[in-house]
Amino acid sequence: MYESEFRLDDSIIYLNHAAVSPWPQRTADAVKRFADENVAVGSRNYLNWVATESALRQQLQQLINAACSDEIALLKNTSEALSVVAYGLPWKPGDNVVITSQEFPSNRVVWESLQKYGVTTRAVDINAGDSPETAILDALDDHTRLLSVSAVQYGSGLKLDLCILGAACRKKGILFCVDAIQSLGAVRFDVQACQADFVMADAHKWMLGPEGIALFYCRQAVMERLDLKQYGWHMLEDMHNFDNKNWEIAGSARRFECGSPNMTGIHALHASLSLILETGLQTIEEQVLDNTRFMIDYFLQLPDRYQLITPTAEQRHAGIVTFRPLNEAPESLFEMLGTENVFCALRGGGIRFSPHFYTPRKRLFKALELLDG
Ligand SMILES: Cc1ncc(COP(=O)(O)O)c(C=O)c1O
């Protein structure tokens, strides 16, 4: 069904969408067209590019159910967006930031770097306590200014209940920041339902886009609270009036984009998201979860050979399944899988499989069969 869009080499079993995804055919076509246009007429049709940029903001708005596309900025990557938040807020000595102990370095080091302002970072063990959410909420106190979590953990694949966390933060006046890179494009995400103030995600994982173009959502009501650290023409309200000496900062999230946009990335991600949105997040989520269930069921049948690191309950995982072999080192099994052209990753203390919605079941089955051997 998706064969015309996903034209991976027959030899490869691609189980690494949680790292960097292959592009759909239409994305490659869009980039080729954009390149050809640049060769033939340069930027003569720049206004069309701006229209694609604006369409991309609307696609991203739809993807996360933002109230308005003015809340969407297009930045370089997740780490940059996290840094915009961390270095935009006015910190006081004694403030703390709460994260989980499973975060990817981007959502840890940026907060730890605030130590120079007297800010402490508390990394919560989300395996302790009745539930991950209880463990996190127990760590919030009167000095907590911000909670920053991944919607889905890159190593274990654990999915948090963002609505519980967001509601508690809003009630306590704590800012809520969500690294959604392991979630957007794989499972449904509703920024209004989960009451996040900031959401960020680069395109190159489940959104099937290229590296170097990222969503940064900033809730309109908190936008003014972020001091700006970079300046340029593109972030001004009247950005095309180059002679304006009385410039004003854009009222929208474009204020976080100081200069010329990544137009190649914009064209690519626009094409990738057209496929995601056409397919529909509900359909994609169902297929992603079906793959996850298929893998989990396989590992549960072999308890003396594999330990599942990913939680088994349906509401606790998305597209990632991480497992540890009990009778050999993960590294040697990973190497064997590599020689058999199974492209996956060593993460979270085990081997991480991350197929996407379109991954043919027979390829996934073949990868699992190799583990029988
Ligand atoms: C949870 C998470 N956050 C962030 C990143 C990377 O962020 P960036 O877009 O800055 O490269 C990754 C990459 O693996 C990730 O898994």
Side-chain angles (χ1 to χ4, degrees):
M1 181 177 174
Y2 307 110
E3 273 151 23
S4 60
E5 287 291 357
F6 295 100
R7 306 196 32 236
L8 281 161
D9 202 293
D10 269 346
S11 63
I12 194 166
I13 302 183
Y14 207 103
L15 306 182
N16 220 2
H17 295 83
V20 180
S21 287
W23 291 1
Q25 184 60 44
R26 68 174 73 184
T27 304
D29 292 343
V31 171
K32 283 180 203 152
R33 271 198 309 276
F34 187 62
D36 288 344
E37 181 183 336
N38 273 270
V39 169
V41 295
S43 66
R44 189 182 65 189
N45 302 320
Y46 199 86
L47 287 182
N48 292 343
W49 303 359
V50 173
T52 303
E53 179 191 338
S54 154
L56 173 59
R57 279 182 220 274
Q58 281 161 20
Q59 289 174 316
L60 289 164
Q61 174 196 355
Q62 190 184 336
L63 189 71
I64 65 169
N65 192 32
C68 170
S69 65
D70 281 352
E71 297 182 314
I72 310 280
L74 302 172
L75 298 188
K76 269 206 308 276
N77 49 47
T78 321
S79 309
E80 184 183 43
L82 284 161
S83 299
V84 165
V85 176
Y87 281 84
L89 290 170
W91 301 99
K92 290 191 308 299
D95 286 345
N96 69 62
V97 172
V98 172
I99 61 172
T100 82
S101 58
Q102 296 188 9
E103 297 301 322
F104 189 76
S106 302
N107 192 29
R108 174 171 45 82
V109 295
V110 71
W111 310 116
E112 289 172 346
S113 78
L114 299 173
Q115 202 182 0
K116 58 182 177 268
Y117 302 134
V119 176
T120 38
T121 302
R122 298 178 171 176
V124 177
D125 178 359
I126 44 179
N127 292 323
D130 292 345
S131 73
E133 292 75 24
T134 316
I136 291 168
L137 296 182
D138 283 350
L140 306 176
D141 67 15
D142 292 347
H143 299 283
T144 307
R145 297 285 309 285
L146 179 134
L147 168 65
S148 187
V149 298
S150 289
V152 174
Q153 293 299 335
Y154 81 102
S156 67
L158 177 127
K159 183 176 157 200
L160 287 171
D161 189 329
L162 298 179
C163 292
I164 292 181
L165 298 176
C169 284
R170 192 63 66 84
K171 201 163 148 206
K172 292 173 192 280
I174 293 171
L175 290 165
F176 185 36
C177 177
V178 180
D179 174 344
I181 198 169
Q182 295 296 359
S183 174
L184 293 192
V187 289
R188 282 171 293 175
F189 188 97
D190 187 329
V191 73
Q192 296 188 72
C194 73
Q195 303 189 66
D197 294 296
F198 312 111
V199 177
M200 49 285 288
D202 201 310
H204 60 272
K205 299 189 193 286
W206 305 90
M207 285 191 271
L208 302 169
E211 289 184 293
I213 178 86
L215 154 85
F216 172 45
Y217 163 86
C218 179
R219 190 161 70 88
Q220 188 73 53
V222 297
M223 217 172 275
E224 295 282 339
R225 287 167 69 178
L226 292 182
D227 194 20
L228 300 168
K229 301 295 183 209
Q230 299 190 86
Y231 283 80
W233 67 276
H234 192 267
M235 61 193 284
L236 303 181
E237 187 61 46
D238 192 7
M239 69 173 172
H240 295 300
N241 182 356
F242 299 152
D243 296 322
N244 185 4
K245 299 288 185 281
N246 299 313
W247 49 267
E248 268 180 86
I249 299 295
S252 70
R254 187 162 51 72
R255 64 175 53 201
F256 302 113
E257 306 168 359
C258 59
S260 296
N262 169 5
M263 278 295 181
T264 312
I266 285 170
H267 280 75
L269 181 55
H270 176 259
S272 301
L273 285 184
S274 74
L275 175 68
I276 300 250
L277 294 171
E278 259 169 53
T279 310
L281 251 299
Q282 172 138 2
T283 304
I284 291 178
E285 178 177 303
E286 277 164 16
Q287 294 180 23
V288 164
L289 291 179
D290 199 53
N291 284 335
T292 300
R293 172 56 43 204
F294 182 68
M295 294 185 281
I296 285 180
D297 286 347
Y298 171 85
F299 291 113
L300 288 178
Q301 281 167 27
L302 299 169
D304 50 337
R305 297 192 53 197
Y306 297 104
Q307 180 200 348
L308 263 173
I309 292 167
T310 301
T312 55
E314 173 143 332
Q315 73 280 11
R316 281 291 173 212
H317 52 237
I320 290 173
V321 173
T322 306
F323 61 95
R324 194 178 7 239
L326 295 172
N327 306 324
E328 65 180 305
E331 290 77 7
S332 63
L333 185 60
F334 176 73
E335 205 181 306
M336 181 280 280
L337 289 166
T339 58
E340 296 290 341
N341 274 324
V342 177
F343 186 47
C344 55
L346 270 176
R347 295 283 191 283
I351 296 174
R352 181 182 72 184
F353 279 1
S354 52
H356 210 324
F357 75 102
Y358 69 87
T359 305
R361 181 54 57 93
K362 58 178 190 300
R363 293 214 184 175
L364 190 51
F365 186 68
K366 197 166 165 211
L368 295 177
E369 252 184 351
L370 287 167
L371 301 176
D372 276 348

